[in-house]
Amino acid sequence: MSLNSKDKAAVKALWGKIAKSADVIGSEALSRMLVVYPQTKTYFTHWPDMSPGSEPVKAHGKKVMGGLGLAVSKIDDLTTGLMELSEKHAFTLRVDPSNFKVLSHCILVELATIFPKEFTPEEHLSYDKFFAAVARALSEKYR
Amino acid sequence: MTQYTLQAHRPSNRCLWEGRRVALKVASGAGDLQTCTGKPRDSKMVEWTDFERATIVDIFSKMQYEVVGPAALARCLIVYPWTQRYFGNFGNLYNAAAISGNPMVAKHGTTILHGLDRAVKNMDNIKATYAELSVLHSEKLHVDPDNFKLLSDCLTVVVAAQLGKDFTGEVQAAFQKFLAVVVSALGRQYH
């Protein structure tokens, strides 16, 4: 299920709009994940505040969206482009890869709430594939 | 949560319900229950908070079934194309536009959504409510139960688009919990 040219075009097309509100989208999607999937809070116990919209959540949401922006720019070779981030997730963060799916789902839901018209089934398809490809690239160095 | 109970004073390692010897997992701490592969004792499986009940009832009372149902099913057939395997007689499913405009998809999407009404009206006994539908999906329709989750994710996305900001994390959690219970009930009678 690799990304074809149609997927890449669809991802880039909507990303232009997403990038303008990236910080908000990142913060909201992360907040959503922490509420809907409380088990994900286990990764953030070092934060003074894990509540939706808090400073640590906002800062981290921005970071995640930055990573996704990098992925969009390296969409033609995600494995190489995300190598450093993969090493970080594999050796330092050690996030269980099942959580990539969970966060991806929350970002998709957030996109649906913010862009109800633009997040068509075709965009949904391409973004679902894109996030799966990013997750695969991030898991590359795990074992 | 279901509770598997085992009386500590029983001399043998026979399973309480099925009368056969089973490998028992030893409890890891005080108060933990040993488990076996027997059937759960409780029939009441799911606890709903007042917020969850109110949220589910509210979402479905305001739902436009003829819009949301078709949109959710079409989205599922587009985003997860292998689900089209169950709709060979639905005519033109060749591309997203064809799927979105297909009247059989629209009709069936509405039917599916109305099927969820039963769960909304029987939130304390969804398992029994869907026993017949589960048999139907297993024995007659031969639907891979993993597909229920795919459709439920698409329904979540469509409802999110409808509700916008009102689809908060808490509302999403309640909605996804409801759908997870339905999905579990639908998969129950497969063997």
Side-chain angles (χ1 to χ4, degrees):
Chain A
M1 294 197 253
S2 47
L3 300 171
N4 57 36
S5 52
K6 193 171 167 216
D7 295 315
K8 292 178 190 178
V11 166
K12 286 178 187 164
L14 192 55
W15 189 259
K17 272 207 148 108
I18 293 171
K20 293 195 177 85
S21 330
D23 291 358
V24 169
I25 294 175
S27 166
E28 291 289 297
L30 200 63
S31 302
R32 200 176 272 283
M33 184 190 77
L34 295 167
V35 167
V36 180
Y37 303 97
Q39 69 270 23
T40 56
K41 292 197 287 190
T42 54
Y43 290 97
F44 304 108
T45 49
H46 55 283
W47 286 352
D49 188 355
M50 267 192 273
S51 55
S54 65
E55 284 312 310
V57 170
K58 273 166 51 180
H60 196 67
K62 191 173 172 180
K63 214 183 273 184
V64 168
M65 294 305 277
L68 285 175
L70 173 68
V72 173
S73 71
K74 307 280 183 187
I75 203 167
D76 291 319
D77 188 355
L78 288 168
T79 311
T80 312
L82 298 180
M83 181 85 72
E84 226 177 275
L85 272 173
S86 179
E87 284 171 2
K88 188 174 190 176
H89 283 76
F91 304 128
T92 313
L93 303 174
R94 285 181 286 197
V95 174
D96 190 298
S98 60
N99 295 290
F100 299 146
K101 251 198 179 162
V102 153
L103 179 56
S104 298
H105 176 70
C106 289
I107 299 175
L108 292 174
V109 169
E110 194 57 40
L111 293 178
T113 66
I114 295 184
F115 303 115
K117 294 247 148 10
E118 294 90 335
F119 196 60
T120 60
E122 293 98 311
E123 283 290 343
H124 180 166
L125 165 63
S126 296
Y127 265 91
D128 196 39
K129 288 176 74 175
F130 172 61
F131 289 148
V134 169
R136 259 197 317 277
L138 279 180
S139 319
E140 189 64 32
K141 293 287 182 186
Y142 269 61
R143 56 176 177 175
Chain B
M1 290 297 292
T2 48
Q3 301 213 334
Y4 295 81
T5 59
L6 206 57
Q7 288 149 23
H9 61 269
R10 283 192 301 109
S12 74
N13 60 345
R14 282 193 183 279
C15 169
L16 191 62
W17 297 273
E18 306 204 6
R20 55 187 170 86
R21 290 186 190 279
V22 294
L24 300 175
K25 285 188 218 157
V26 176
S28 54
D32 278 3
L33 301 167
Q34 293 179 323
T35 62
C36 77
T37 53
K39 289 186 222 149
R41 203 182 265 279
D42 274 326
S43 58
K44 185 165 185 202
M45 307 265 288
V46 186
E47 303 277 343
W48 300 101
T49 64
D50 290 342
F51 172 82
E52 285 165 348
R53 277 183 205 276
T55 299
I56 298 306
V57 168
D58 187 55
I59 289 177
F60 279 88
S61 70
K62 296 178 177 140
M63 178 103 70
Q64 295 169 276
Y65 285 71
E66 291 76 31
V67 171
V68 172
L73 182 59
R75 194 167 280 257
C76 186
L77 296 171
I78 292 165
V79 178
Y80 309 109
W82 53 94
T83 56
Q84 292 169 25
R85 76 190 300 281
Y86 304 108
F87 303 102
N89 63 335
F90 269 34
N92 188 357
L93 299 177
Y94 297 133
N95 54 44
I99 293 170
S100 298
N102 187 310
M104 288 181 84
V105 170
K107 182 159 182 271
H108 196 63
T110 311
T111 302
I112 292 174
L113 210 53
H114 279 297
L116 288 176
D117 279 344
R118 295 191 222 185
V120 178
K121 293 190 172 72
N122 293 286
M123 281 178 73
D124 288 316
N125 203 1
I126 292 178
K127 193 169 53 145
T129 305
Y130 280 125
E132 225 179 275
L133 269 175
S134 178
V135 171
L136 175 80
H137 281 77
S138 163
E139 304 291 300
K140 184 153 180 267
L141 305 175
H142 306 299
V143 178
D144 181 340
D146 282 354
N147 291 175
F148 301 145
K149 173 128 204 322
L150 301 181
L151 178 57
S152 102
D153 281 351
C154 286
L155 182 57
T156 301
V157 166
V158 171
V159 170
Q162 292 273 310
L163 299 183
K165 279 224 144 355
D166 291 341
F167 199 65
T168 62
E170 287 83 357
V171 168
Q172 180 183 347
F175 192 64
Q176 288 192 192
K177 177 177 169 179
F178 171 75
L179 290 179
V181 172
V182 168
V183 162
S184 167
L186 274 179
R188 205 84 183 33
Q189 304 301 328
Y190 279 64
H191 65 95

